[in-house]
Amino acid sequence: EILRGVAILLVLITHSYMFPIIGKFQQEFDFSKGVDLFFVLSGFLMGKTYVSKVNLNKFCVIDAVNFYIKRISRIFPASLFWGVVLFSCYWIWIRMGIFPNKMGVFDSVITGVTFLGNLYLNQYMNGLGFWWSLGLEVQFYFILPIALFLLGKNFWKGVVLISIFLAIPNIWQMDYSWLFRLHSLFIGLMAWKVHSIL
């Protein structure tokens, strides 16, 4: 919880660039790592709450389905609620120039609620793009059981290789590569594994 608090503080500072005094600090420190800290914590929790209960030698489809149901039932209602709230204020976003029309607001809200916000934001950067990190996390939740199924007893070797590959800066040539930084989630998984061994 303390680390979550630190992550929240870092994210708030990152998005407080309109305050000159905070802007000076941002020149010296990279406060955007607060989001990465959230991802590491999420990966750690997935190791603790899901991977720890899985038999790597015998994949169970029922466990995977239950995992998907729990994740979606926990995240989707809140996402849907905020989607409805934001869309009901569509005229504000149009007046502010964030979107040109009502359809633009609808597209952003729908992709956010369906956890594709990072994919949409990569194409149409806008001021309501905060769904990107939630989308990335849910995509990780979707990938995790599939990785367990495909890798089996080699799962942890795969996690290490995936983390190393995704952390190589030169593989990201697109403008908004930060929308797809899954490596922090895999690093969180490895941190849980190390913690469980110790």
Side-chain angles (χ1 to χ4, degrees):
E1 293 304 317
I2 291 171
L3 287 174
R4 278 183 174 170
V6 170
I8 290 168
L9 183 61
L10 291 174
V11 170
L12 287 174
I13 292 172
T14 299
H15 291 281
S16 300
Y17 40 79
M18 70 283 294
F19 299 106
I21 193 163
I22 292 177
K24 291 179 181 178
F25 284 109
Q26 289 177 335
Q27 293 173 5
E28 303 296 327
F29 303 101
D30 185 4
F31 294 104
S32 66
K33 296 303 178 190
V35 175
D36 291 295
L37 181 53
F38 269 120
F39 289 156
V40 169
L41 291 171
S42 186
F44 187 95
L45 290 172
M46 287 307 98
K48 181 180 178 182
T49 60
Y50 178 57
V51 179
S52 65
K53 300 172 184 175
V54 172
N55 182 349
L56 296 179
N57 295 312
K58 188 177 180 182
F59 183 80
C60 179
V61 175
I62 294 173
D63 288 343
V65 170
N66 287 336
F67 171 75
Y68 287 138
I69 291 171
K70 284 180 183 176
R71 292 288 96 198
I72 297 301
S73 63
R74 182 172 181 178
I75 297 169
F76 182 71
S79 185
L80 181 62
F81 170 79
W82 287 111
V84 170
V85 169
L86 288 171
F87 186 69
S88 66
C89 302
Y90 71 90
W91 54 275
I92 295 175
W93 318 126
I94 294 171
R95 183 179 292 177
M96 290 175 66
I98 294 175
F99 295 98
N101 53 44
K102 190 175 180 179
M103 197 63 199
V105 181
F106 180 77
D107 289 346
S108 180
V109 168
I110 287 298
T111 54
V113 169
T114 55
F115 312 114
L116 299 171
N118 58 331
L119 301 175
Y120 179 80
L121 198 60
N122 183 50
Q123 297 297 318
Y124 308 101
M125 186 59 65
N126 64 78
L128 295 183
F130 46 80
W131 264 305
W132 76 266
S133 59
L134 184 61
L136 187 65
E137 283 208 39
V138 172
Q139 291 156 27
F140 172 72
Y141 300 155
F142 180 75
I143 291 169
L144 189 56
I146 295 171
L148 284 163
F149 171 70
L150 294 175
L151 297 171
K153 62 182 180 180
N154 295 314
F155 175 74
W156 290 109
K157 292 177 185 175
V159 168
V160 171
L161 290 175
I162 290 169
S163 300
I164 291 170
F165 176 74
L166 291 176
I168 299 171
N170 290 337
I171 68 169
W172 304 106
Q173 298 300 324
M174 59 187 133
D175 291 336
Y176 300 109
S177 60
W178 51 272
L179 295 168
F180 305 97
R181 53 188 197 245
L182 280 169
H183 62 282
S184 298
L185 290 148
F186 282 100
I187 288 169
L189 264 181
M190 288 191 298
W192 171 78
K193 181 63 174 175
V194 170
H195 178 266
S196 67
I197 292 171
L198 298 177

